[in-house]
Amino acid sequence: VAPDHAILREAEAVFALSSALRRARIVAAALQGAEILWIDDHPEDTIWERSLLKVFRVEVTTVETTRSALAVLPSGRFDVVLSDIAREGSPSEGVRALPEILAAAGVARVVFYVDRVSDSRPPAGAFGITNSSHELLHLILDALERNRL
């Protein structure tokens, strides 16, 4: 799939001064070919972030439920799992499901991408938590560098 050039231009403008984008360019090899599973019951809210990842040739698979995630995780192909916390009618479904996700994820690291961060510490077992797209990219890079380089 060819990258959306309008989104690429927007990303360039937004991240012009971003250490996250500069870092992503430097370690592009860590991103290229990476596979991410994104669990979010509102995938339309992450279109911009997913489009940016695709610019770096990251494969992103989206699912909307814990059950769907648990169905695809045993393939072992995912490097990182991104998840929201509030979904499926529960304000803490992502945290509740974390032990199951970790067990099924193999070496993949789990990062929570949320609307609001009330505690800067991620839930036990998670690699990180953020509500910032800049920090999200750093966390993805951290996870990939640990797993793939």
Side-chain angles (χ1 to χ4, degrees):
V1 175
D4 182 323
H5 293 288
I7 290 174
L8 181 57
R9 282 190 302 277
E10 182 181 340
E12 289 288 339
V14 170
F15 284 119
L17 302 175
S18 168
S19 64
L21 187 57
R22 286 191 303 274
R23 180 179 175 202
R25 288 182 178 146
I26 291 168
V27 296
L31 284 167
Q32 189 170 351
E35 297 210 27
I36 292 176
L37 176 64
W38 201 314
I39 313 164
D40 193 322
D41 57 344
H42 294 285
E44 66 276 6
D45 293 345
T46 60
I47 289 171
W48 191 89
E49 292 88 343
R50 289 184 286 122
S51 296
L52 179 64
L53 290 168
K54 287 181 183 184
V55 167
F56 286 101
R57 296 193 174 126
V58 174
E59 283 294 320
V60 180
T61 300
T62 58
V63 296
E64 295 182 16
T65 66
T66 298
R67 181 182 215 168
S68 298
L70 293 172
V72 298
L73 276 169
S75 70
R77 71 178 201 251
F78 298 104
D79 301 295
V80 178
V81 175
L82 302 178
S83 179
D84 61 350
I85 289 180
R87 66 173 178 271
E88 301 176 52
S90 169
S92 60
E93 172 60 18
V95 174
R96 186 215 59 79
L98 184 57
E100 293 173 276
I101 297 294
L102 288 168
V107 299
R109 304 193 190 250
V110 177
V111 174
F112 285 105
Y113 188 51
V114 298
D115 289 333
R116 255 179 311 141
V117 176
S118 57
D119 185 351
S120 62
R121 294 172 297 170
F127 187 71
I129 186 169
T130 187
N131 63 343
S132 160
S133 57
H134 303 275
E135 189 173 350
L136 178 65
L137 185 54
H138 276 300
L139 286 167
I140 291 168
L141 288 167
D142 289 347
L144 291 172
E145 287 177 328
R146 284 179 173 88
N147 285 358
R148 301 177 91 214
L149 297 179

